[in-house]
Amino acid sequence: MTDPKPVCTDKTKAVIAALRADPVIAKAIQQCEEQHQQRIDDQVKLTEIPAPPFHEEVRADALVEMFKQYGVENAHKDTIGNVIGRVKGSGNGPVLVIGAHIDTVFKEGTDCTVRKEGNVYYAPGISDDAGGLAGMLQVMRCVTQNNIKPVGDIVFVGTLGEEGNGDLRGCKALFKEKNDYDGMIAIDSANVHRILRGAVGCKRFRIIFESMGGHSLHKFGIVGSAIHGLARAITMVDNLEAPQDPKCTFNFGVIKGGTSVNAIAARAEAELDIRSFNQPSLEAFVEKILATIKQACEDENKRWNLEGENAVRLIIEQIGDRPAGMNADDASVIQAAYGALLSLDISLDKYTLAATDQNVPLYYGLPATTLGAGGTEANNHALSESWDSTDAFQGPQVAFLTAMTLVGVQGVTEPILEKAKHE
């Protein structure tokens, strides 16, 4: 089986060449480099406004003001708290969403003060995704400050809850509401040499075993142990053969339970992550794993002849659901992104899959990809996270040229992004 490769047709290359030849577009691309320090200043400012899981309000408020400062006067927060601002086109073109997520993985109270050493900046969240937000703001400035008139509309969005148990809640709300969106570019991670061709789907569960508990000697063999039941479940799942084509994975990432070494555990739980880039395969594998866990509970009770209140009980709670989706290798967003890299003489080193805000539009059948914000990141999701700003202006250059290719520019090019059928 040959590795997938992106496609950029001669027609799309001609569109990009026409854009590059336009003086206003050329000026906007150069502006990314000229405003390199301004982009960094935005990134530092946003990083130092904490946005812990489910508490992104303060950073979101600051982002609304930055949208307005950079020429998007209609910027506002929607009902869930996403920050949204629209640059209107001619009224006849497609609508492209450009998004970056507001939230971080770091808990409330984390020190987010940025420290600088040369071109390297250190702080929790300095890259993921303050870099994406700052890159998006630079694309916004390229459009508004050069008075570019797109054919299609561009909707800039700062989304909530992309990380962890946020479960893409902002992007889900964005696309669930009645809308006219036809495609999306997410700006996430730093790597400008990467294009995401598809979205890894992910379903997450909290697996809970409960029992009466009791003394480890006096109740041994009489009362079931929640820990023993959970351990049996994990072992049985671990013995399953995970599908390889399409690939599926599973992982028990968190486990806790019990109260004392000499007490039969009354409660034990684990958090389970199941992934695949193919939605039907993901659904089937989830069904198989959950059935195995239910069987493990039955087997644990049979092992000790436990019944009634002495038996272990199973509770399964779903805590995450990120849908899978895939672009064709010649999808409009892939052609535009790959063509932008080629035109800007930036190598494509990774054409791969991941789970980002792009999962949601792909699930709805809309073309979507994720582009890097530029620079080089290290230790994401760790307190030691860092970001090297060297050549970081390339990220906004790629995102801007990709966006213009998709939505078109009045008097220069027509859009290559298809208009979807909206109910």
Side-chain angles (χ1 to χ4, degrees), residues 58 195 232 293 378 388 410 422:
V58 178
I195 295 173
R232 184 182 295 275
I293 291 171
D388 188 329
Q410 295 178 39
H422 295 282

PDB file of all heavy atoms in Angstrom, residues 58 195 232 293 378 388 410 422:
ATOM      1  N   VAL A  58     -11.656  34.946  30.516  1.00  0.00           N
ATOM      2  CA  VAL A  58     -10.839  36.163  30.547  1.00  0.00           C
ATOM      3  C   VAL A  58     -10.030  36.289  29.256  1.00  0.00           C
ATOM      4  O   VAL A  58      -9.962  37.368  28.648  1.00  0.00           O
ATOM      5  CB  VAL A  58      -9.915  36.174  31.780  1.00  0.00           C
ATOM      6  CG1 VAL A  58      -9.040  37.435  31.777  1.00  0.00           C
ATOM      7  CG2 VAL A  58     -10.737  36.117  33.068  1.00  0.00           C
ATOM      8  N   ILE A 195       0.756  19.174   7.159  1.00  0.00           N
ATOM      9  CA  ILE A 195      -0.646  19.323   6.772  1.00  0.00           C
ATOM     10  C   ILE A 195      -1.385  18.095   7.284  1.00  0.00           C
ATOM     11  O   ILE A 195      -0.927  16.956   7.100  1.00  0.00           O
ATOM     12  CB  ILE A 195      -0.806  19.423   5.237  1.00  0.00           C
ATOM     13  CG1 ILE A 195      -0.142  20.697   4.701  1.00  0.00           C
ATOM     14  CG2 ILE A 195      -2.278  19.402   4.841  1.00  0.00           C
ATOM     15  CD1 ILE A 195      -0.124  20.770   3.177  1.00  0.00           C
ATOM     16  N   ARG A 232      -9.343  -7.047  36.132  1.00  0.00           N
ATOM     17  CA  ARG A 232      -9.749  -8.098  35.194  1.00  0.00           C
ATOM     18  C   ARG A 232     -10.191  -7.467  33.867  1.00  0.00           C
ATOM     19  O   ARG A 232      -9.848  -7.940  32.781  1.00  0.00           O
ATOM     20  CB  ARG A 232     -10.878  -8.941  35.789  1.00  0.00           C
ATOM     21  CG  ARG A 232     -11.299 -10.134  34.898  1.00  0.00           C
ATOM     22  CD  ARG A 232     -12.458 -10.893  35.538  1.00  0.00           C
ATOM     23  NE  ARG A 232     -12.066 -11.522  36.783  1.00  0.00           N
ATOM     24  CZ  ARG A 232     -11.484 -12.718  36.885  1.00  0.00           C
ATOM     25  NH1 ARG A 232     -11.230 -13.421  35.778  1.00  0.00           N
ATOM     26  NH2 ARG A 232     -11.182 -13.216  38.062  1.00  0.00           N
ATOM     27  N   ILE A 293     -15.605  -5.424  28.596  1.00  0.00           N
ATOM     28  CA  ILE A 293     -15.598  -4.917  29.969  1.00  0.00           C
ATOM     29  C   ILE A 293     -16.815  -5.431  30.741  1.00  0.00           C
ATOM     30  O   ILE A 293     -16.703  -5.817  31.914  1.00  0.00           O
ATOM     31  CB  ILE A 293     -15.545  -3.375  29.952  1.00  0.00           C
ATOM     32  CG1 ILE A 293     -14.182  -2.907  29.430  1.00  0.00           C
ATOM     33  CG2 ILE A 293     -15.814  -2.803  31.343  1.00  0.00           C
ATOM     34  CD1 ILE A 293     -14.097  -1.420  29.159  1.00  0.00           C
ATOM     35  N   ALA A 378       8.321  22.823  21.776  1.00  0.00           N
ATOM     36  CA  ALA A 378       8.850  21.685  22.527  1.00  0.00           C
ATOM     37  C   ALA A 378       8.083  21.558  23.839  1.00  0.00           C
ATOM     38  O   ALA A 378       7.628  22.551  24.410  1.00  0.00           O
ATOM     39  CB  ALA A 378      10.343  21.860  22.808  1.00  0.00           C
ATOM     40  N   ASP A 388      10.265  28.404  19.922  1.00  0.00           N
ATOM     41  CA  ASP A 388      11.340  29.138  19.258  1.00  0.00           C
ATOM     42  C   ASP A 388      10.712  29.930  18.116  1.00  0.00           C
ATOM     43  O   ASP A 388      10.093  29.360  17.209  1.00  0.00           O
ATOM     44  CB  ASP A 388      12.388  28.155  18.725  1.00  0.00           C
ATOM     45  CG  ASP A 388      13.631  28.845  18.182  1.00  0.00           C
ATOM     46  OD1 ASP A 388      13.514  29.973  17.677  1.00  0.00           O
ATOM     47  OD2 ASP A 388      14.724  28.241  18.241  1.00  0.00           O
ATOM     48  N   GLN A 410     -11.562  39.365  -4.880  1.00  0.00           N
ATOM     49  CA  GLN A 410     -12.321  40.080  -5.908  1.00  0.00           C
ATOM     50  C   GLN A 410     -11.372  40.767  -6.896  1.00  0.00           C
ATOM     51  O   GLN A 410     -10.455  41.464  -6.510  1.00  0.00           O
ATOM     52  CB  GLN A 410     -13.238  41.105  -5.253  1.00  0.00           C
ATOM     53  CG  GLN A 410     -14.334  40.482  -4.391  1.00  0.00           C
ATOM     54  CD  GLN A 410     -15.212  41.512  -3.711  1.00  0.00           C
ATOM     55  OE1 GLN A 410     -15.545  42.545  -4.293  1.00  0.00           O
ATOM     56  NE2 GLN A 410     -15.612  41.230  -2.472  1.00  0.00           N
ATOM     57  N   HIS A 422     -26.626  23.599   2.460  1.00  0.00           N
ATOM     58  CA  HIS A 422     -27.061  23.856   3.822  1.00  0.00           C
ATOM     59  C   HIS A 422     -28.576  23.791   3.882  1.00  0.00           C
ATOM     60  O   HIS A 422     -29.281  24.300   3.013  1.00  0.00           O
ATOM     61  CB  HIS A 422     -26.592  25.234   4.281  1.00  0.00           C
ATOM     62  CG  HIS A 422     -25.093  25.356   4.368  1.00  0.00           C
ATOM     63  ND1 HIS A 422     -24.350  24.848   5.394  1.00  0.00           N
ATOM     64  CD2 HIS A 422     -24.196  25.933   3.500  1.00  0.00           C
ATOM     65  CE1 HIS A 422     -23.070  25.115   5.195  1.00  0.00           C
ATOM     66  NE2 HIS A 422     -22.948  25.752   4.042  1.00  0.00           N
TER      67      HIS A 422
END
